[in-house]
Amino acid sequence: MTAVTETKAQRIERLKREKNAWEHFDEIREFARQGHSSIPPEWIGTYFRTWGVYTQGDGAGVVGGKNGEGKATDYFMVRIRIPNGILTSEQVRVLADLAEEHARGVADITVRQNIQFHWVTIESLPNLLERLWKAGLSTTGACGDVARNITGCPLAGLDGHEIVDASPLALEIDRALGGNSEFYNLPRKFKISITGCRHWCTYPEINDIGLTATTRVRDSRQEIGFSLRIAGGLSTNPHLGVRLNAFIQPEQVVPVVRGVAEIFRSSDVLRHSREKARLKFLFLEHGWTAEQFLDELHRVIGFSLDPAEPEELPAELHRDHVGVHAQKQPGLFYIGASVLRGRITPQQLRVAADLSDRYADGRIRTTIMQNLLIVNVPQKHVATVAQALESASLPVHASPFARGTVACTGSEFCKLALTETKGFARWLSEELEDRLPDFQEQLRLNITGCPNSCGQHWIADIGIEGKKVKVDGRMVDAYYFCVGGAVGQFASIARPVGYRCAATDVPDAIERLLNNFRARRDSGENLRQFLARHSNDEIRNVLADDAADPVERDVPAGSVPHSVEV
């Protein structure tokens, strides 16, 4: 009789059914006592993920391995869940201490407001987790087929123009789904954002659930609620969220979020393929419509939602929160520091914590553009705090390139990446600053080391995707260009323009494009508009500095089983 071989999807689904790893911290303790060699494959490949723990690559990325995944080392990446990006100074000090003691001083702010460590050993993992818990922090659900970190506007409660402070709801959603065994076994990752700001700085369009504050008038009285978008996501099949015809009242938010999660959890059709297991594939592959989804949501939650109200989509293209800005509280300011590529040191974390304690109220926030904010600073201390951050290499007044550059983990630590991204991002930003010192346009320059778009290149003005090319007989890092991505009123997926070049040639290409924009732009035209009115051929020829035939993106036939979205 021929043996039946499990597919990857079948194996992972079986393992998740057999064990909720959150209930087995005792096994992690035992692995720590016995050493890395004692860890079974099911923990390495599946169970650790729900704890926010990934195996770390050997620096060669995917090209150093086989079957679409590079070689793993005995070290781990550990991601800390930070709902709405809200931290206290004491928590920041704990993160600094842990990064120094257990992660070789390496900490990254991610595009979901998390903090991510590297170089963590199995021997140190239990102590690291316990110290995080003691500080009120957790890694639970920061990775895996679960509800990921709940993102929200880092200015919640501070922004004078916000419709509502949605951070209490973000924290309530986190308590309802984060670490909840009811939602341990979802078909795939599940991302939620909620914001009360008018700028949609959480990018609701690329989340599985995107809630944005809106208003309506009932009986001559204004009521605040939320619009609901579902099934957004990037990776190799980008899909902007679908708006449902529903007005979500504040007390309905958590039941609605749970209802969408339950629909996702019960979608057996999404469990057949790891590559097509996200909520968006109900729309991309299985013919679902917004009307059908809303009907099913009403059935699951047991009540009907009111119809949606007209909403004002934000026209502003960028919001990185960098700089000095007044809060709605009279006399108080927030100070946003640019953290280039998201890489921050223990000393920089301690500087931020000390400044917040000495000159504000001990509150710090992270952003999805990988930056750091000190909030509630009295006006008389603003200059002192800003200067101290500048001295710590956390610039408050940064170039558009430093402010606008976002980078994924890259091949330095990720087994799936084709290219190194963090060091490249720093070099690229500095090169562009030197070449274009007077460039002052807002710019989103997103760098991702593979087609999985952890660096969110699909929603960037200029998004570059990691590749490999042969130069002088040697394979080197390269990047493929996409342009014109956006969120908000002009939401669109970036267009692949058919141009690829070695990483060392990327500054030349971007310099040509931006100089061409400045020389040929119409009066008042911004970069998004300029890119929109030029064809792929025109943009490719500018990037290449010559007539150039289009190059295919060369996307793998199938996605890897687990991507390491930051």
Side-chain angles (χ1 to χ4, degrees), residues 378-400:
Q379 185 172 11
K380 64 182 179 180
H381 296 314
V382 164
T384 301
V385 173
Q387 180 56 50
L389 288 169
E390 295 275 355
S391 298
S393 298
L394 293 170
V396 174
H397 305 289
S399 75

Side-chain angles (χ1 to χ4, degrees), residues 495-543:
R495 300 144 38 204
V497 296
Y499 180 68
R500 180 183 62 202
C501 66
T504 51
D505 295 329
V506 168
D508 294 337
I510 294 178
E511 181 184 11
R512 285 192 291 267
L513 181 61
L514 296 182
N515 276 334
N516 189 271
F517 158 63
R518 292 197 295 182
R520 299 177 56 200
R521 65 191 296 188
D522 291 339
S523 176
E525 186 175 46
N526 60 37
L527 181 59
R528 181 197 63 79
Q529 293 166 329
F530 177 83
L531 294 170
R533 72 176 176 88
H534 285 83
S535 69
N536 289 350
D537 290 345
E538 290 172 320
I539 293 170
R540 182 175 62 254
N541 292 342
V542 171
L543 290 167

Side-chain angles (χ1 to χ4, degrees), residues 93-103 117 127-128 131-132:
R93 286 193 187 89
V94 169
L95 293 171
D97 291 345
L98 291 174
E100 197 165 65
E101 295 170 28
H102 297 302
F117 292 154
N127 176 259
L128 185 152
R131 287 170 65 183
L132 286 170

